[in-house]
Amino acid sequence: MICKTCGTEIADKALICYRCGNSTFEPARRARPATRRSLIPTLIALVILVAGAVLMPRVATGTVPRAASVALIVLAVIVLVWRIVERRRGRGRR
């Protein structure tokens, strides 16, 4: 057999070319192309972390505004739902 890449004569049952190292056969499965993930859930998670860090001293004293607590919870739920939907569509899988 002749290597398709470098033209070296190799054994008929060879899996790779000894000279160039390239495979001598086509793989049974092709790798799926990488999908681009959305940055929106990541940015929302970052906002949640920053807001939580800023409000942490107020949590200790119990003076956190109710609207801030509700907003952080809503944002966290949005990110969670977004990730679940992406995984169900198959975009979040490896």
Side-chain angles (χ1 to χ4, degrees), residues 10-62:
I10 54 177
D12 289 337
K13 293 184 179 181
L15 299 177
I16 61 169
C17 174
Y18 68 88
R19 177 159 295 181
C20 66
N22 284 326
S23 176
T24 59
F25 65 95
E26 293 295 321
R29 291 190 226 171
R30 295 261 182 215
R32 289 188 336 184
T35 58
R36 185 175 176 157
R37 290 189 175 189
S38 175
L39 288 177
I40 293 174
T42 304
L43 293 175
I44 292 174
L46 184 62
V47 167
I48 292 169
L49 287 174
V50 169
V54 168
L55 293 175
M56 193 58 69
R58 296 183 92 181
V59 169
T61 61

Side-chain angles (χ1 to χ4, degrees), residues 41 44-45 47-53 55 59 64-82:
I44 292 174
V47 167
I48 292 169
L49 287 174
V50 169
L55 293 175
V59 169
V64 177
R66 183 138 178 89
S69 298
V70 171
L72 288 176
I73 292 170
V74 168
L75 287 174
V77 169
I78 288 171
V79 169
L80 181 64
V81 169
W82 190 308

